[in-house]
Amino acid sequence: MIQYILTRSNRKTAAIYIRNGQVEVRAPHRMPKQDIDRFVSSKEQWIIKNLTKQQIQAENKDSFALDYGSDVIIRDEQYPITPRSGKSAGFDGEELYMPPGLAPEQIKATCIQIYKILAKAHLCNRVSFFAAQMGLYPSTVKVNSAKTRWGSCSSKKSLNFSWRLIMADDDVIDYVVVHELAHLKEMNHSPRFWGVVTGVLPDYKKRKAQLKILQKKLASEDWG
């Protein structure tokens, strides 16, 4: 029998959640324990599959490291990390260069700083492009370090994007930009909201699916 943590509440049905290698079952107060056990047993294959997936992701995260010669992704293209004499670091269109002699953690930190600079420039450019097209103008555009949200729109009309978005394909980046701009008109995910998105990007569902592929990739990488 699979071991699980049981949480009871006023919910009407039982559900299984797998997080950090643990199985949690949320069930109604009055659901008998034997019924919960049978429910878990019926989902055994699914649980094992997802536990294994999470274990592999955790192992990949633990082993994730960057060094000179490693390739990183910018706008869905791979570029090498190379040492270059001096104290400056940046991206010249062909490689991410940085001072020699840095430790792996320093290299990763430097990559993140470069990513943030590139993300800010590119996202501001795309926001300006689509804002003019949609007639929707944000108060500010910011880049943050969000791990689980690609973008957000505040009540003060400020758009926020994760620097990780700069790894995505240009079509995917544009989808997130249009998505957040649409929230300036509809602060929800109602049919009206998706109508605004569709009016600009009729193929947004395809772009959204591509974004999930990147999300899965990053789940196995430790960017801090």
Side-chain angles (χ1 to χ4, degrees):
M1 182 65 189
I2 291 175
Q3 299 297 309
Y4 62 86
I5 298 169
L6 176 59
T7 302
R8 291 187 180 272
S9 66
N10 292 325
R11 61 183 301 128
K12 295 181 179 180
T13 59
I16 300 172
Y17 298 86
I18 301 175
R19 294 188 179 90
N20 301 319
Q22 289 188 320
V23 180
E24 179 190 2
V25 179
R26 299 179 187 177
H29 286 298
R30 295 184 179 182
M31 188 173 187
K33 181 66 163 57
Q34 62 264 31
D35 289 351
I36 298 173
D37 288 342
R38 280 196 292 268
F39 173 64
V40 172
S41 293
S42 72
K43 301 294 183 181
E44 183 174 0
Q45 289 187 344
W46 179 85
I47 292 171
I48 292 173
K49 177 182 176 181
N50 282 274
L51 283 172
T52 302
K53 179 182 177 181
Q54 286 194 6
Q55 182 180 356
I56 293 172
Q57 287 181 343
E59 290 173 353
N60 289 339
K61 274 196 170 186
D62 288 341
S63 63
F64 180 75
L66 295 175
D67 208 336
Y68 300 107
S70 298
D71 287 332
V72 290
I73 299 174
I74 299 174
R75 292 167 62 185
D76 203 35
E77 296 287 343
Q78 290 192 335
Y79 298 94
I81 299 171
T82 61
R84 184 179 295 185
S85 59
K87 296 182 179 181
S88 62
F91 175 61
D92 62 6
E94 295 183 357
E95 57 190 22
L96 271 76
Y97 61 88
M98 58 190 68
L102 298 180
E105 281 301 312
Q106 292 175 305
I107 291 175
K108 182 168 72 174
T110 303
C111 282
I112 291 173
Q113 291 305 312
I114 295 172
Y115 271 141
K116 288 180 178 178
I117 293 169
L118 295 175
K120 178 71 172 180
H122 185 68
L123 287 163
C124 283
N125 179 275
R126 299 313 289 165
V127 167
S128 295
F129 175 82
F130 284 108
Q133 183 176 334
M134 299 168 70
L136 299 169
Y137 298 92
S139 58
T140 57
V141 177
K142 299 178 181 178
V143 170
N144 58 32
S145 297
K147 296 180 181 180
T148 58
R149 299 186 69 178
W150 295 105
S152 62
C153 176
S154 74
S155 58
K156 295 182 179 180
K157 297 187 176 182
S158 173
L159 300 190
N160 300 276
F161 299 97
S162 171
W163 61 260
R164 291 167 171 79
L165 190 57
I166 198 63
M167 298 184 195
D169 177 87
D170 283 352
D171 285 348
V172 174
I173 295 173
D174 285 352
Y175 159 68
V176 178
V177 168
V178 170
H179 183 114
E180 299 310 328
L181 280 170
H183 278 310
L184 295 175
K185 187 172 184 179
E186 298 288 343
M187 286 293 287
N188 49 53
H189 288 109
S190 65
R192 290 192 304 274
F193 166 82
W194 290 113
V196 174
V197 175
T198 303
V200 183
L201 301 174
D203 64 342
Y204 81 86
K205 290 183 179 178
K206 177 182 177 182
R207 299 173 189 237
K208 186 177 180 181
Q210 287 178 295
L211 185 59
K212 289 183 178 180
I213 295 173
L214 175 61
Q215 198 161 17
K216 289 180 180 179
K217 177 182 181 299
L218 293 181
S220 296
E221 299 180 355
D222 182 13
W223 285 96

